[in-house]
Amino acid sequence: MNDMNGQTAFGLASDVSSLMEKRRRNGLVWHIVFIFSTTLAVLFLILLVFSIIDSVFGYAVLINDVEPSALVAGKESVTDFNRAELENVARTRLSAGILRRVEYDKPIAERSDKDLVSLVEEYVVKPKVLKTWGFWGSLTERKAIETYIGENEGSYATFRSWLTPSFIMADQSADPLRAGIRTALLGSLWIILITFVFAFPIGVGAAIYLQEYAVDNRLNRMLQLNIFNLSAVPSIIYGLLGLAVFVRFMEPVTSGSFIMGTVDNTANGRTILSGGMTLGLLVLPIIIINTQEALKAVPDTLRMSAYGVGATKWQTIWYQVLPVSVDRILTGTILALSRALGETAPLVVIGASTFISVDPSGIFSKFTTLPIQIYQWSARPQGAYRNIAAAAIVSLLILLLLMNSTAIYTRDKITKKKRLEA
Amino acid sequence: MKIAIEHPFGKKMRIHERLIEATLFGFALLSIVITLGIAIILIRESYLFFSDPEVELWGFLTGKEWQPMIGRFGFLPLLNATLTTSVIAMALGIPVGLFVAVYLSEYASDKTRGILKPVLEVLAGIPTIVYGYFALTFMTPLLRSIFGMETVQIYNTASAGLVIGILVLPMIATMAEDAIGAVPKELRLAAYALGGTKMETTFKVVIPAALSGLSATFLLALSRAIGETMIVALAAGAGPNLTFSPFEAAETITGYIVRISGGDVSYNSVDYNSIFALGLILFLITFTLNMISRKISRMFHQEYE
Amino acid sequence: MNSLSLAQVLQPGVEQSESQVKKTVLKLEHVNIHYGSFQAVKDATFDIYEKHVTAFIGPSGCGKSTVLRSINRMNDMIRGSWIDGKILFNGHDLYDEQVDPVLIRRRIGMVFQKPNPFPKSIYENIAWGARINGFKGDYDELVEQSLRQAALWEEVKDKLKQNALRLSGGQQQRLCIARTIAVQPEVILMDEPASALDPIATGRIEELILELKNNYTIVIVTHNMGQASRVSDHTAFFMVDDKRTGYLQEYAETEQLFLNPQHRKTEEYISGKFG
């Protein structure tokens, strides 16, 4: 371009092109920074998933109290024992007290083979975990594992998945090989149920008021602001609120003693009811905000046409607005509940039980939940607890995935439906 | 005899309509009750805490030792640990979150966005306890292998802080992307038309224009980091410790609350009251940050209306 | 160091005279513009002359803004847009692979439909473009000269530090013109620059355009035929075919086109039969 060769206020053409070179380089450097940051974020997710999956599968080096071969000559595993051998070992090797209790629960003769195998393993063979390796370690550190077995006489390695059907079905136990999450899983489901029952009607009701009834005045603006603030209050504060109000102040109600006299009083108000209501308070602002968004999405023309045929305000809301927005409201609620499902801190603060092996039987039961279980196991330094913590995390994530995919499925269905109607 | 003549369009009472409205209003009012409840309980128990003969306000605010067993109630070690983890979290979360947001809104193709947005949503939906596990089983060993086993303790604030940074990253990225996306397209075009490169347009026009929205985002993220509990409870260590080294164990405010309430604490003991006093401080800090954040973001929205 | 005075650069003393030979600055040759699979403009071929005002008119959807944006490669910003054919700027193909669109936009500036000042001070609005492009002269002088040329100096000289968003719409648009002038382009593209303004502000912008054509080549897209006839020397009339693809129907000197249109479509459009 002709005059670019001459001198201008922007310097010589060579200045312009060298400056451009610099600017281009700058742009490139930052572009790389942006891509790098984004990659980093994705990498975090991959690492997070990997570090969990890694702990779920892998070698565990175990040592037995009594070798199976010492019980029945020539058989290396209890599962190889035949029926007669199993019954015999059970009768002769169980200590008198345990034998009496076992026979009392269900006579040995009537028990299934599988049942007897686990009896013998639990009380006679008594395998203990010495050390565990993650999946990656199991692949790369073969040598170290062999050396370790060599150093510990009588130990042996098995490759195992820590997440098994029996892990999900079993009670809590101090022994990581036998521990399971059934109690915690049931606790979580109970809590979610109470949270839903408590927070859903109130949340949706409040949202309807704010979105459909509230005029723009000081009080209503304050209500709205307050809800936004509540949604950002740290969850642990809700735990303190629940501890002081539900557990302590309302103990006669939350422990159930007001209707049943003196029931199981060990719960001291630290019941499913208290936990569920605490989380209910926590997710209430989220449900309100999500529901308001759902109601905002309903076009005003719909309301106008309802008023136009002489409907009252409530008739308009009940027969026109809510049916149109119900899917979105439910989606928002499910998202809020999945937040509650993963919450740990408030439940620890209100004093959820850390070790119970009795399934919760109702809203006045003591409880533990999956996240609390994960917390307890993660906090223990011994290796095998980390593995079962990881297995519990996978269970929790699957549960969350189920809830969220329901939410996303509903959302997509609405979009599709709306598109067809349009 | 009087005959009541009803006007054909006379007002009707519609009692049940009013009842419904009143009930719904009551539900909305409940949110105020919750806030008041939080305030009353925190203040009441804090009052009990500070009226304990062993505790005095000045010592609480300036004391360098927190050991309730022997009557030392200086909360600086807890506050210091909370600030350490939060600052580390922000140092990771703000730049990375902002850059992700810039990448998403200014650079990425629709297809890439379609992949990245769900990744952020998934990251945001993972419970914090899982992040705590990640800190303990991945971040801490990583730090120890980089900086040496002697330097980095098993429990340390660096690991917890970094993982909190990862936790708030998707929130920062999403909200920052909204703030950047709210900057009118015309401003970008104007910058390009003056011969700006993409980078110059982004840094000198788009980000400055989105600045108040971005600061609101960062404040909210900071508030979230300060209130974060499970990650620090698992990875930062139990036991107050006034240290400026991020590689040492130090208990944060939230970590202390969880540890004390997790054990069997008897009502009306100093321990019991102390967690409420700390809760009050936590509430005040996060509440203030949230309010400022909200104010700034309101101003931001007015700018572009 | 820069030895030329700014005034010299901005206001070359040579007067334009009608008798001078028209010099072609921009040459469009068989330009086709596509958005993905949709063809927005087909086969546009015409010249734009130095220090003349060229107006693009036509019904909505005829692609006149699209052609305008292709001249300084603003279309690059729209995902999925691509172009074939040639646009020559002083003989150089703007769509050559070697060409950096960033440098082009400094030489071919643009003013938009809606005033879009940066949310910064008036001063910064003008200085920013020059600064990123490595301007070496005196910034205060540059700001003053640019504002004077945009006929805004008298109104804002006392409040240069004030946020530009506080100016009125018409002032904002003149500021945007001043901002464009400040990077010293050869060509200024204007995309319906007055459509968001009131009649008085519009009048001032039109006066300004006539003033600016002494120094710059101006291309203006407008919906307003009166405006086109008032300010432009040449007019390009675009039409749209039944596939919604725009094409150049007629291109002529403005007087010619308005008084003696060669096509029935042109005549119908300028007489207001459709639009």
Side-chain angles (χ1 to χ4, degrees), chain B residues 2 26 48 61 65 68 79 117 125 130 142 152 159 169 182 196 206 213 222 224 227 255:
Chain B
K2 276 193 220 161
L48 291 175
L61 290 176
E65 230 181 320
L79 182 69
K117 292 285 276 183
V130 180
L142 181 71
V152 186
S159 168
L169 194 157
V206 178
L222 178 62
R224 177 92 194 270

Side-chain angles (χ1 to χ4, degrees), chain A residues 23 26 35 37-38 48 51 55 205 209 213 223 226 228-229 232 237 245 247-248 312 314 349 378 386 390 400, chain B residues 14 17 20-21 24-25 31-32 35 41 99 116 126-127 133-134 136 195 199-200 261 268 272 279 290-291:
Chain A
R23 290 167 68 194
N26 262 338
I35 291 182
S37 298
T38 310
L48 187 70
S51 78
S55 299
Y209 174 77
Y213 287 93
L223 282 172
N226 182 57
F228 280 117
N229 275 328
I237 302 280
V245 174
V247 174
R248 198 175 164 195
T312 65
W314 179 246
V349 171
S378 303
R386 297 277 164 84
L400 282 172
Chain B
R14 296 214 175 84
E17 288 264 336
I20 289 169
E21 183 174 350
L24 297 178
F25 178 65
S31 68
I32 297 278
T35 310
I41 277 153
F99 293 159
L116 288 173
I126 293 175
Y133 178 87
F134 180 65
L136 205 55
M199 189 274 283
E200 287 156 353
S261 55
N268 294 333
Y272 178 83
N290 297 341
M291 284 299 261

Side-chain angles (χ1 to χ4, degrees), chain C residues 195-211:
Chain C
S195 67
L197 305 178
D198 61 64
I200 294 171
T202 302
R204 307 197 63 166
I205 297 282
E206 287 179 11
E207 282 168 32
L208 182 57
I209 290 172
L210 290 173
E211 192 70 27

Side-chain angles (χ1 to χ4, degrees), chain A residues 61-201:
Chain A
V61 173
L62 308 176
I63 193 159
N64 293 335
D65 229 24
V66 177
E67 291 299 330
S69 57
L71 300 170
V72 177
K75 296 207 170 162
E76 290 295 328
S77 162
V78 183
T79 46
D80 296 340
F81 291 9
N82 61 35
R83 177 81 198 179
E85 286 162 351
L86 280 171
E87 285 193 18
N88 184 34
V89 169
R91 291 213 171 86
T92 54
R93 299 301 288 253
L94 290 182
S95 72
I98 292 169
L99 185 61
R100 207 177 314 125
R101 210 191 68 213
V102 166
E103 289 275 20
Y104 178 78
D105 283 351
K106 195 177 187 188
I108 283 175
E110 288 171 26
R111 287 176 179 252
S112 68
D113 286 8
K114 219 175 131 195
D115 205 2
L116 288 178
V117 168
S118 69
L119 259 182
V120 171
E121 283 201 327
E122 184 175 357
Y123 293 111
V124 185
V125 178
K126 290 187 189 161
K128 261 201 273 311
V129 181
L130 285 179
K131 193 166 178 184
T132 63
W133 275 263
F135 188 71
W136 182 246
S138 301
L139 294 180
T140 56
E141 296 172 23
R142 276 266 153 84
K143 269 260 163 57
I145 300 174
E146 276 163 26
T147 322
Y148 187 83
I149 296 172
E151 283 166 1
N152 293 275
E153 210 181 320
S155 66
Y156 59 99
T158 58
F159 189 90
R160 57 177 290 150
S161 157
W162 294 89
L163 180 63
T164 58
S166 74
F167 175 74
I168 296 185
M169 294 313 298
D171 307 336
Q172 267 194 325
S173 161
D175 176 2
L177 286 174
R178 319 195 65 83
I181 54 168
R182 193 189 68 236
T183 322
L185 194 61
L186 289 172
S188 276
L189 294 176
W190 268 108
I191 291 276
I192 288 299
L193 179 70
I194 300 298
T195 304
F196 175 77
V197 168
F198 180 69
F200 180 72

